[in-house]
Amino acid sequence: MMSTKKYRIRLTTDEQQELNALVSRGRAAAYKQTHARILLMSDESRSDGGMKDADITSALGVGQSTVERIRKRCVCMDRTHGGRVFGDMVDTFEYVRHRA
């Protein structure tokens, strides 16, 4: 029995485009690209409502805890700073975006 996702990801169009660009360029570190892919696959604003964690782990070859941790970081940063995660903050998306 799977539990309900505690941390839900809903990306804006701009955020989706930025993450897709980071992945498609292929110049970022592998783990940064993987984290970006996790966020893109977890995105509930996709037409399919986002992939299940088990499907993401299989597709990317990462552990369940990695997927949960990345989603949690993204959502917690959003709440903590009162804005979107993808601003000038120093965690989840910051290292993915600016160090690419």
Side-chain angles (χ1 to χ4, degrees):
M1 179 179 166
M2 287 203 105
S3 59
T4 305
K5 287 183 184 180
K6 183 174 181 179
Y7 301 102
R8 298 176 171 276
I9 303 298
R10 291 178 194 88
L11 301 173
T12 66
T13 303
D14 289 340
E15 293 163 349
Q16 291 168 357
Q17 289 173 350
E18 207 167 331
L19 287 169
N20 278 317
L22 179 132
V23 171
S24 66
R25 269 186 252 124
R27 286 183 282 170
Y31 78 93
K32 294 173 190 174
Q33 291 183 42
T34 300
H35 292 183
R37 285 184 178 103
I38 289 170
L39 293 175
L40 288 166
M41 291 177 169
S42 298
D43 183 15
E44 293 184 359
S45 60
R46 293 172 20 152
S47 60
D48 64 0
M51 293 173 69
K52 294 181 180 180
D53 287 358
D55 296 334
I56 296 170
T57 60
S58 295
L60 298 178
V62 297
Q64 178 82 19
S65 60
T66 300
V67 175
E68 292 170 355
R69 185 178 62 251
I70 297 305
R71 282 191 294 103
K72 179 180 178 180
R73 259 192 222 162
C74 184
V75 172
C76 289
M77 287 294 294
D78 191 15
R79 289 181 184 157
T80 303
H81 296 285
R84 297 301 298 174
V85 169
F86 306 103
D88 294 316
M89 297 171 211
V90 282
D91 204 4
T92 303
F93 194 69
E94 183 71 17
Y95 69 74
V96 172
R97 184 172 82 180
H98 292 292
R99 296 184 190 185

